[in-house]
Amino acid sequence: MSGHDRGPNSAWEQLFGAAPLNHYVGFPQSPFHTRFGPIFYRGRLDGSARVLVIGQDPSSDEILAQRIFVGQAGQIAQHFLTKLGLTRSYLMFNSFLFGVQSSSLSAQIVTATEPTIMAYRNSLLDKAKATNALEAIIAFGSHAKSSAISWPGRGTLPIIALKHPTAPDGVAADWNSHLAAAHIAIAPDSDGHVDVTPYSTTAPMPYTDIPRSDLPFGIPAWHGTGGATRSQRGSGAAFETQIKWLAP
């Protein structure tokens, strides 16, 4: 496996290029952070994925890496995959291509069922299913669960719906309640180690550094590591136009 992610092939690039970006930009009440561009995926686009992971929306760490689920939430989610023995055989998409501004949410955004956004997301999920031998869907957060449920092409794929990794409470207990079903549904990778030990409900959620093979060449070695979010948006008028990237 390459030491970095070489990006989409021509077929995936064509599908990514068909994203309804203007629809996001012009959406009523401007609920999306669109100034820095969309973030599409993380994981395997080569047909080797067995698990489809759905997240919610990208933040600034994801913008900088050009891959989803890279910051604190992504590293906690990566630990769950590691407990299942997954080291590489996954493909991740978000419910939304851009970050969501929580103060401007319509009912269709809350339920991830806005027609244009949903149709495009379903086209990504359809291609993922058509080109991979998927075993299950892991959905992190309520938007992700809605995205999985509202996908007509899901067929009989089981959905393992988990609380978002950075939800304010109850994450460990919720994830523990789904561990057994996840282990049954998903086979480990050949180099993975299955860990059925429940999460502590009193300690901070553990994390796993994002594999370098998930990230583009040249990303700093510390980005996506340490269980930390490495960036933040500017304040005040610069909130939409400035990202502060903080090296450790």
Side-chain angles (χ1 to χ4, degrees), residues 51 184 216:
V51 177
I184 291 170

Side-chain angles (χ1 to χ4, degrees), residues 80 84 136 158-160 175-186:
F80 187 84
L84 300 180
I159 300 173
I160 301 160
W175 288 18
N176 286 339
S177 71
H178 291 89
L179 265 176
H183 282 300
I184 291 170
I186 299 168

